[in-house]
Amino acid sequence: MLLRTRVSQLRKALEESTQYSVWCERAQELDALLGLDLWRLENESDDYDYVLIRERLQQLRVYQQQPDLQNLVRALREGLHHDLGNIGNPLLYNRSHFGTKKLIEDYIDQVCEALNFVADHEIRNFGFDRKIKFFKETAQSFGQPALMLSGGATLGLFHIGVCKALHDQDLLPEVISGSSAGSLMAAMIGTHTDDELRSLYDGEGFYMHAWNWKRWYRGFLGEGFAEQAQLERFLRANIGEYSFEEAYQRTGRHINVTVSPIQVHQKPRLLNELTAPYLLVWSSVLASCAVPMIFPPVTLTTKDGEGNYVPYMPGQRWVDGSVKSDLPRTRLTHLYDVNFFIAVQVNPHIVPFMETDRNRLERARLSSWPARIVREELKFHGTGVFNFLRHQFKHEASRQLMDHAYSIIAQRYYGDVTIAPPGYSLAHYQHMLQDPDTESWRWFCLQGERATWPKLAMIRSHIRIARTLKACITRLENRRNRRTADLGEEPLSQTGTAVS
């Protein structure tokens, strides 16, 4: 009876924690009471190839201890693959409240230690250039993570808490995409330096006034129910006047904003420093936030060679990015070699119907073949019907409505890790189309942090190796440039060309 009471107390304490360090202590105590700490110490599991991981761990340890650096390099280059032996299986991170199998954690620790060992030790016939080439090729083969932030109007403040929790643990990906409200959060993260973000997470300096409603009949006339000029002021105050290229140069983060076309012959666009370097970030976010009926479509704005603001593709107009590309997995994979997606979903029409990663995977594993076939057939025919209808309507608002219905059914709303509110109450919906204030900012931020903390172990397993590879490359290039400068030669840039 006492055990059951304490377990109940700890579960409630986890839900009400306000600091990650306190959450960790309570999670570990709960695991100890339930015997799940012993599960972590057992290597065996049907959910991953523990024999392979144990052998790889032992091999890397032996090569590093001898030390046999040449074989250590070969072992890393040939054997370092993302999700080796299925160690990223979500079922391995939903059993205990804190962490996963110790064997997996030891393996990742050893890989990172070996990579740093290779970067920091002299190896015969393996100079700076060959080392950097080794690390870059390994990083390209391994891939990197991306964070995808969904739409959701003011509910998007939840994203800030997620980013804060990731940033505090040095797990915030450099590739960040956003649609609608998520594009605002992605843009804010991508245009502010680390020092500026620490203040931003607390709501300091955030311009809160986003909504200004028109008279109701204006919306039915196609002008939108809300004042777009006010939204523009809100975005420019919080994002600044940066182009995508300037934002990347400032922070090193890849901002990606999705926008949807209203023209039949255009396709959704993913805007970033590669596809639209001179486009103004706030202009792209304005288009991505142009929810049909609430805001009118947007003509994008770019900078010309003299820095003047001019229309981008003047004949084209764009709307809410979540209409057709809420979570742009395929495009991000091609552009940035992404191997792992963290999806943050706050859309009010999606969250109430979402399942936890564990429930979703177990249902897929246990569902009967007839149930799976029926579910897939319903989805197939539903997308077919709405795809047909959206090409039949001539009226712009009706076509956008059919577009939205089609996209809701056709899109994939989950990532490799999916972070979402546990549910929505009436208070959430009351906030959805209102200006945020300091109290609601902190309320949403804490919810985002609490939803992220249980996912950190899995995210860390996927991200740590990629993060270590990048750190080694930066360290080696800096060291090479310092040595070059000491010799009186021109230092090399990261592309290998002389810096003038």
Side-chain angles (χ1 to χ4, degrees), residues 213-226 293-294:
W213 297 97
K214 299 179 180 178
R215 295 182 178 179
W216 63 270
Y217 63 86
R218 294 290 185 184
F220 293 107
L221 293 176
E223 299 176 12
F225 289 101
M293 301 297 290
I294 296 181

Side-chain angles (χ1 to χ4, degrees), residues 20-85:
Y20 180 57
S21 58
V22 175
W23 184 93
C24 290
E25 292 176 3
R26 292 167 176 171
Q28 291 178 79
E29 183 180 350
L30 183 57
D31 283 345
L33 287 176
L34 297 175
L36 295 175
D37 54 342
L38 300 178
W39 173 85
R40 295 183 63 231
L41 296 175
E42 296 171 354
N43 293 339
E44 294 79 4
S45 172
D46 294 334
D47 294 325
Y48 76 117
D49 191 342
Y50 63 90
V51 175
L52 172 64
I53 300 303
R54 184 173 58 199
E55 290 175 351
R56 289 283 301 158
L57 172 62
Q58 292 171 347
Q59 183 186 53
L60 292 173
R61 279 178 175 169
V62 168
Y63 287 148
Q64 184 173 332
Q65 289 170 359
Q66 285 181 348
D68 185 347
L69 293 182
Q70 291 184 343
N71 276 325
L72 181 61
V73 168
R74 291 182 64 88
L76 289 168
R77 186 66 185 91
E78 294 177 348
L80 194 55
H81 302 284
H82 176 252
D83 205 11
L84 181 70

Side-chain angles (χ1 to χ4, degrees), residues 133-259:
K133 181 174 183 291
F134 158 77
F135 277 102
K136 286 186 174 181
E137 289 176 347
T138 305
Q140 182 179 359
S141 171
F142 191 82
Q144 66 174 323
L147 177 65
M148 302 185 297
L149 308 177
S150 79
T154 304
L155 299 176
L157 292 177
F158 179 90
H159 294 318
I160 286 291
V162 175
C163 292
K164 180 179 185 298
L166 294 173
H167 207 163
D168 286 346
Q169 299 302 310
D170 193 27
L171 295 175
L172 183 67
E174 293 177 358
V175 179
I176 306 173
S177 78
S179 61
S180 196
S183 69
L184 165 64
M185 297 305 166
M188 290 175 63
I189 298 296
T191 55
H192 289 76
T193 65
D194 286 344
D195 289 339
E196 292 168 343
L197 283 178
R198 292 184 180 91
S199 297
L200 179 65
Y201 291 141
D202 293 328
E204 296 180 15
F206 183 73
Y207 179 64
M208 299 282 185
H209 187 34
W211 298 98
N212 188 18
W213 297 97
K214 299 179 180 178
R215 295 182 178 179
W216 63 270
Y217 63 86
R218 294 290 185 184
F220 293 107
L221 293 176
E223 299 176 12
F225 289 101
E227 181 64 55
Q228 197 166 62
Q230 180 57 45
L231 177 63
E232 180 180 325
R233 285 190 288 271
F234 169 81
L235 296 176
R236 297 176 78 165
N238 289 308
I239 296 171
E241 301 293 321
Y242 303 104
S243 67
F244 280 100
E245 183 179 64
E246 291 166 343
Y248 174 71
Q249 291 171 348
R250 188 170 195 264
T251 68
R253 298 186 181 94
H254 306 277
I255 311 170
N256 293 264
V257 174
T258 63
V259 294

